[in-house]
Amino acid sequence: MSAEAPGDDGIHVRRATDATGGADRRPDTIASNTSSLLGAAIDLTSHLDVQAALKNFVDRAARLSGARYAALGVLDSRGNTTAFVQVGVSEEVQAVLRHPPRGYGVLGAIPVDGPLLLDDLTQHPDFGGFPPGHPPMHSFLGVPVRVNEQVFGRLYLAEKLGGFTEHDAQDMMSLAEAAAVAIENSRLYAEARNRERWIAVSQDITTTLLEGTEEEEALEMIVSRVRDVAEADTALIVLPSVGDAWACEIADGYLAGDLLGLVFPPDGRAMTVLKEGTGLIVDSLTRLRTLRLRELAQFGPALYAPMMLRGEGKGVLLLLRRIGGPEFDPSDRAMAESVARQAALALELAAARHAQDVAALLDERARIGRDLHDLAIQQLFATGMQLEAARTAAAERGDPALTTLLEDSLSSVDESVKQIRAIVHSLREPDTAVVLVERLRREASLARTSLGYAPSLVIDVEGTVISDDDAQAGLVDIIDDRVDADISDDVVAVVREGLSNAARHARAASVQVRVSVLGSGPTGRVIVDVEDDGGGVDPTVSRRSGLANLATRARRHGGTFSLGKSERGQGSLMSWQVPLS
């Protein structure tokens, strides 16, 4: 039998009075209930889908106990309700209530190792009242659901005619044990299926890398696929930016455009993960007291995975879910770390291909230099000797007009030899010794391959266009004097990205680059405009990490960056300008 014993607060809580439960039930009823309980346990363990198993568990618990209302609250690591499965409450009432119980009050009073049995839950000291629209409830039975000795969730039963008994509590505890087995099986099955999906993504990434896909395209594919398989709302890749800074260079998903170019603090979690070489799971960014990036406060669960290659951190893969989303689990972290290593490999391969291209370019420049020296200069030298002989003969015959003409031709040959030697010398010079004008011309020349044609390059100082380096050597020197090395590197990077963007996205027939130097010192400025006649800015392209990087470069110098429609009405105009220091 069971007795009603008043608690310290005067609430009647049912408790067992003997070791066997003292049930005064007929044998056929006991057998029937035992059979139903066994059948329910067997049926529960047959489900491999977690949601289906939970829904079946709640349905079975309601039918076996005779409760009008039944629900299961799934808990996170902090004890907060992250999922809620219920029966008995209509959809209309659920809509009025707006959100399920959070697991506090009476629900939070359920013991971790036993049931909570109440005649009237409204008399419990932790009862805080029902929200508007909530159906009235009195008799109550709460049972913990433990998976691997951890409380996975709580089963809530309410409103049984005549009230719940100790036998109901025992049956629900037994059913909860069967549910725990079903939940564990479902989780293992889901984990296996999830691992298969991760492996498929890993294989796709490997194939993409072997095909020699460009670095940015490969990284964009990685974040897109990883976000999908991890069921994340947003995926980011944080890479080295200007100086010692690290910034979001690739983003996909919710608020991706707002996060591109976001600079991460040197002592933040991303950099800690990078230094330690180990992934990190955060249950909720919005609850962190030390969150330095307010943009990330719009997210809940987060997973940081370092992009490691031979023990060196190349970047960080960051997966984000919206506030209220489920936490990432350790299996997600392990697989994300594996994919992050492949992303690091993508960067390594891209760097290797770039180095190979640079080596090929240097070899080609060396070959051109040799050909100019061995062939062109020698040919011009031989021509000069012939012209010298002709000039001497003309002078001996007393033909001053022909003599003058031949002397002018000899001067032209000598000037050509000087120019070719200067070109050979510049081809052999290291980049650090090359003036900014020559570096910009080299970028325009290299872009010919990707564009399919030569872009137009105009460089001017105070409106005067540099067209002849020898005649305007002073202007070339003025540019190097006014534009320091740091800004020069950024100017070259802006021109390179502008030409690359035009080649990949613009589908243009012509591209013009104009670099203008106006004034000097803090009051002066350098302006870079890249204009094309293509299809204009594509609004569907949300991942423009290169352009975000240029905006960061401009901000670093106190300048501006914009990308919009060309003033001619067709194509796009990229404009970048910073003050001279």
Side-chain angles (χ1 to χ4, degrees):
M1 296 290 294
S2 61
E4 295 183 353
D8 294 337
D9 52 5
I11 301 171
H12 288 81
V13 181
R14 297 179 184 270
R15 296 187 177 91
T17 57
D18 57 34
T20 63
D24 185 15
R25 294 191 292 179
R26 293 171 54 188
D28 57 341
T29 303
I30 296 174
S32 175
N33 285 349
T34 302
S35 176
S36 298
L37 183 62
L38 180 60
I42 294 174
D43 185 57
L44 276 176
T45 55
S46 67
H47 287 79
L48 291 178
D49 179 77
V50 174
Q51 291 302 318
L54 297 180
K55 183 65 168 61
N56 189 45
F57 169 48
V58 177
D59 285 336
R60 288 283 184 169
R63 287 201 299 269
L64 285 173
S65 65
R68 181 177 180 182
Y69 304 107
L72 174 68
V74 180
L75 308 178
D76 62 13
S77 60
R78 292 174 175 261
N80 298 318
T81 302
T82 60
F84 198 75
V85 182
Q86 60 185 325
V87 296
V89 179
S90 66
E91 294 183 358
E92 291 77 9
V93 173
Q94 292 181 36
V96 172
L97 296 176
R98 299 182 63 179
H99 63 79
R102 292 185 171 87
Y104 306 138
V106 177
L107 304 183
I110 298 174
V112 298
D113 56 357
L116 175 64
L117 188 59
L118 302 174
D119 285 335
D120 189 350
L121 66 88
T122 65
Q123 299 302 309
H124 193 279
D126 292 333
F127 178 72
F130 293 120
H134 194 286
M137 297 181 182
H138 296 281
S139 59
F140 176 84
L141 172 59
V143 175
V145 180
R146 299 166 60 88
V147 177
N148 292 331
E149 301 304 319
Q150 297 292 325
V151 176
F152 171 82
R154 304 187 188 105
L155 173 65
Y156 315 130
L157 302 168
E159 289 301 279
K160 177 183 179 179
L161 187 62
F164 296 97
T165 67
E166 285 290 341
H167 296 290
D168 292 327
Q170 293 171 11
D171 286 347
M172 292 305 100
M173 288 294 292
S174 299
L175 189 63
E177 293 178 2
V181 174
I183 292 169
E184 182 65 12
N185 289 342
S186 300
R187 290 176 64 177
L188 291 175
Y189 176 73
E191 186 175 314
R193 292 292 302 272
N194 194 37
R195 187 179 295 109
E196 289 180 4
R197 296 176 62 205
W198 277 101
I199 291 174
V201 170
S202 179
Q203 291 172 342
D204 289 344
I205 294 173
T206 301
T207 301
T208 299
L209 297 180
L210 293 176
E211 289 174 349
T213 305
E214 290 295 326
E215 170 190 340
E216 185 172 352
E217 292 183 16
L219 294 179
E220 288 176 350
M221 186 276 287
I222 289 173
V223 295
S224 177
R225 295 297 308 277
V226 170
R227 183 179 70 83
D228 179 63
V229 72
E231 298 181 349
D233 293 300
T234 306
L236 313 176
I237 289 184
V238 182
L239 298 173
S241 184
V242 180
D244 296 331
W246 290 70
C248 172
E249 296 287 354
I250 306 290
D252 183 82
Y254 176 63
L255 298 179
D258 297 339
L259 299 176
L260 271 176
L262 183 66
V263 178
F264 283 70
D267 55 348
R269 288 170 182 80
M271 295 302 99
T272 300
V273 164
L274 194 66
K275 294 174 184 176
E276 297 179 353
T278 304
L280 173 68
I281 294 175
V282 178
D283 58 356
S284 180
L285 291 175
T286 191
R287 290 200 294 258
L288 293 177
R289 296 181 179 178
T290 59
L291 187 65
R292 294 179 176 84
L293 297 176
R294 58 179 179 81
E295 293 84 353
L296 296 184
Q298 304 174 79
F299 296 92
L303 189 159
Y304 295 78
M307 296 163 54
M308 306 299 295
L309 187 66
R310 294 188 296 275
E312 181 181 355
K314 302 292 184 180
V316 177
L317 172 64
L318 177 55
L319 301 177
L320 303 168
R321 287 175 178 161
R322 300 193 193 193
I323 297 173
E327 296 179 23
F328 292 97
D329 57 45
S331 63
D332 287 328
R333 187 186 70 180
M335 298 307 297
E337 287 176 337
S338 176
V339 171
R341 287 192 291 269
Q342 288 185 296
L345 181 60
L347 293 175
E348 183 80 357
L349 291 176
R353 283 194 295 268
H354 177 70
Q356 185 179 21
D357 292 342
V358 171
L361 175 64
L362 294 176
D363 289 343
E364 181 66 11
R365 290 170 59 185
R367 183 192 65 77
I368 294 173
R370 288 194 303 269
D371 290 347
L372 288 173
H373 184 271
D374 297 341
L375 300 177
I377 290 181
Q378 295 299 327
Q379 184 66 36
L380 286 173
F381 183 72
T383 301
M385 293 181 63
Q386 293 174 346
L387 290 174
E388 177 63 29
R391 185 191 66 80
T392 302
E396 291 175 352
R397 289 201 308 266
D399 190 340
L402 180 59
T403 300
T404 301
L405 178 62
L406 291 172
E407 286 178 349
D408 291 342
S409 299
L410 279 170
S411 298
S412 297
V413 169
D414 290 340
E415 185 63 27
S416 297
V417 170
K418 290 180 181 179
Q419 291 180 357
I420 292 176
R421 282 175 174 166
I423 292 172
V424 172
H425 179 72
S426 66
L427 288 172
R428 293 174 179 173
E429 278 291 297
D431 283 350
T432 54
V434 178
V435 297
L436 177 57
V437 171
E438 179 60 28
R439 294 176 66 187
L440 293 174
R441 288 174 177 168
R442 184 182 306 168
E443 292 298 330
S445 178
L446 291 174
R448 178 194 295 267
T449 301
S450 57
L451 287 170
Y453 53 84
S456 171
L457 174 63
V458 179
I459 305 173
D460 71 83
V461 180
E462 308 292 351
T464 302
V465 177
I466 298 177
S467 57
D468 187 330
D469 287 0
D470 287 337
Q472 298 173 299
L475 292 180
V476 175
D477 292 339
I478 286 176
I479 290 180
D480 270 19
D481 290 340
R482 295 185 182 181
V483 184
D484 65 26
D486 189 21
I487 295 179
S488 293
D489 289 342
D490 283 343
V491 168
V492 173
V494 169
V495 171
R496 180 185 303 139
E497 178 60 32
L499 291 171
S500 175
N501 188 64
R504 285 180 296 170
H505 305 299
R507 302 182 299 279
S510 66
V511 180
Q512 182 186 71
V513 178
R514 187 177 190 100
V515 179
S516 302
V517 177
L518 305 174
S520 61
T523 60
R525 65 186 186 278
V526 57
I527 305 172
V528 180
D529 290 334
V530 181
E531 187 174 11
D532 63 69
D533 61 355
V537 180
D538 186 355
T540 64
V541 178
S542 60
R543 299 184 299 274
R544 294 179 178 270
S545 60
L547 300 181
N549 191 2
L550 299 188
T552 301
R553 290 177 185 268
R555 289 194 300 268
R556 187 168 68 93
H557 296 293
T560 61
F561 169 78
S562 64
L563 174 64
K565 192 174 182 180
S566 171
E567 295 179 355
R568 296 180 298 181
Q570 180 183 4
S572 59
L573 173 63
M574 187 191 82
S575 183
W576 185 94
Q577 62 175 299
V578 299
L580 299 173
S581 56

